[in-house]
Amino acid sequence: MDGHDTSQIKNITVVGTGVIGNGWITRFLANGYHVTATDPDPAAEERMRDAVEKAWPAMERMGLADEASMHNLSFETDLEIALTHADFVQENVPEREQLKRKVMAEIDQYTPEETVIASSTSGILPSTLQADCAHQPERVIVAHPFNPVYLIPLVELVGGSKTELFFIEKAKDLYDKLNMKPLVIQKEIEGHVADRLMEAIWRESLHIVNDGVATTEEVDASIIYGPGLRWALMGPFLTLHMGGGKQGMRHLLDQFGPALKLPWTKLVAPELTDELAEKVITGCEKQTDGVEMNSLEERRDQFLIELQQLLEKYWPGANLTGKI
């Protein structure tokens, strides 16, 4: 094996061109890679190119690599042909276990040796994904991104029971070159880390709306103007550490630890009744009344660009890199 040298990785194959796949394509292209996208739907090519073109101004503002070009993108409906010269594979087919396993086995069959096979799955375990791979299951990993992939830097890397560390390290090096923040998760777990945390807040939010405590707009405001501002810089642990004063978390746990036993949170999701669904839907529609989704996406992207610039100014690496 050639160490973790990723300088030879030039050609990326992206399997599946939905929202996540197209986000990856945009990010790879903006960082100077050649991308072959594959999808069994011939109509997917037009949607893919439209998505990349739409996101490109944001990438220009973030900063393009010297070799970056939308012209470095090709589309292929035949999976085997698309994988022939792949130096790295990013899989993004729909979140259906049997489909994922079938596609991963095919990718394993057609891809050159030593090529990392990374899945964007948000919840399926890597051990499950590699179960049907007959050639090199040790190179199959989870590399779970967050939407919009072309701007959000976090990517969760998880290996399965057959995964070799070499391939996780190789993937980590590549994502570093994409200006991402790869987080290597030590144990595989359903939903990985960030989605599990978001799911907990999502469940509580549904209870609060269902019980008539607050509207969807008020729940969102409670995060935007409260903990969300601090979380963007420090996350939940360091935020609470600072809440403990000079003694930090030691004092906070001593003072507020008993409150963890209080039945504040529901944890189990509420029944998604028609009434609750309608509350959530109409609430969100009211929040966005008169604003097109395209306009919301543009506003989100500009905000994320400026927020990341601010984050890098005050907390580079959020200590993932050992810097404070």
Side-chain angles (χ1 to χ4, degrees), residues 21-33 35 52 55-56 59 62 64 68 145-146 148-154 175-181 308:
N22 289 336
W24 275 121
I25 290 167
T26 303
R27 187 149 206 148
F28 284 126
L29 289 173
N31 284 278
Y33 292 89
V35 177
V52 172
W56 204 251
M59 304 315 296
M62 285 288 282
L64 298 173
F146 296 82
V149 180
Y150 52 87
L151 289 181
I152 299 288
L154 182 65
Y175 294 123
D176 273 330
K177 290 183 177 179
L178 295 175
N179 298 311
M180 300 187 81
K181 302 293 184 185
Q308 285 184 71

Side-chain angles (χ1 to χ4, degrees), residues 61-296:
R61 187 170 175 192
M62 285 288 282
L64 298 173
D66 291 340
E67 307 83 5
S69 172
M70 285 189 283
H71 296 299
N72 292 334
L73 173 61
S74 59
F75 184 84
E76 175 57 62
T77 55
D78 188 295
L79 180 63
E80 183 176 359
I81 295 173
L83 293 167
T84 302
H85 301 294
D87 299 323
F88 193 95
V89 178
Q90 190 77 43
E91 173 273 321
N92 318 274
V93 302
E95 288 282 291
R96 299 196 298 272
E97 182 179 318
Q98 292 308 314
L99 173 63
K100 286 269 198 192
R101 289 174 63 161
K102 175 178 178 292
V103 171
M104 293 299 275
E106 291 173 348
I107 294 173
D108 180 47
Q109 179 182 353
Y110 300 134
T111 305
E113 290 185 6
E114 302 291 305
T115 297
V116 176
I117 302 172
S119 173
S120 299
T121 182
S122 59
I124 301 174
L125 298 178
S127 290
T128 301
L129 293 174
Q130 64 191 188
D132 301 328
C133 296
H135 296 269
Q136 271 190 287
E138 66 273 12
R139 59 189 174 147
V140 173
I141 68 168
V142 162
H144 173 234
F146 296 82
N147 188 46
V149 180
Y150 52 87
L151 289 181
I152 299 288
L154 182 65
V155 55
E156 297 176 315
L157 305 186
V158 198
S161 58
K162 298 178 182 177
T163 304
E164 292 182 1
L165 182 60
F166 168 84
F167 293 102
I168 292 178
E169 291 293 335
K170 192 172 182 179
K172 182 177 183 294
D173 287 352
L174 177 68
Y175 294 123
D176 273 330
K177 290 183 177 179
L178 295 175
N179 298 311
M180 300 187 81
K181 302 293 184 185
L183 176 62
V184 178
I185 298 172
Q186 302 304 318
K187 293 183 179 180
E188 56 181 335
I189 184 174
E190 289 87 351
H192 320 315
V193 172
D195 273 0
R196 291 177 75 97
L197 297 172
M198 289 192 293
E199 176 78 4
I201 293 177
W202 171 232
R203 291 180 183 187
E204 289 303 308
S205 299
L206 288 175
H207 276 294
I208 288 169
V209 171
N210 193 46
D211 295 344
V213 176
T215 65
T216 60
E217 187 171 16
E218 290 165 342
V219 169
D220 282 355
S222 76
I223 297 295
I224 293 168
Y225 300 113
L229 289 171
R230 298 179 300 186
W231 287 344
L233 179 68
M234 298 179 180
F237 279 109
L238 194 53
T239 294
L240 292 175
H241 179 59
M242 293 189 68
K246 290 184 177 180
Q247 290 183 301
M249 185 63 77
R250 185 178 301 279
H251 174 70
L252 186 127
L253 288 179
D254 183 56
Q255 185 172 0
F256 297 107
L260 292 172
K261 298 291 186 181
L262 297 176
W264 286 2
T265 55
K266 307 276 190 177
L267 292 182
V268 177
E271 182 75 23
L272 191 58
T273 61
D274 291 342
E275 182 183 5
L276 175 55
E278 194 59 31
K279 275 187 180 181
V280 173
I281 292 166
T282 56
C284 290
E285 289 175 345
K286 182 182 176 184
Q287 283 178 255
T288 56
D289 186 37
V291 184
E292 293 292 327
M293 191 62 76
N294 282 349
S295 176
L296 286 173

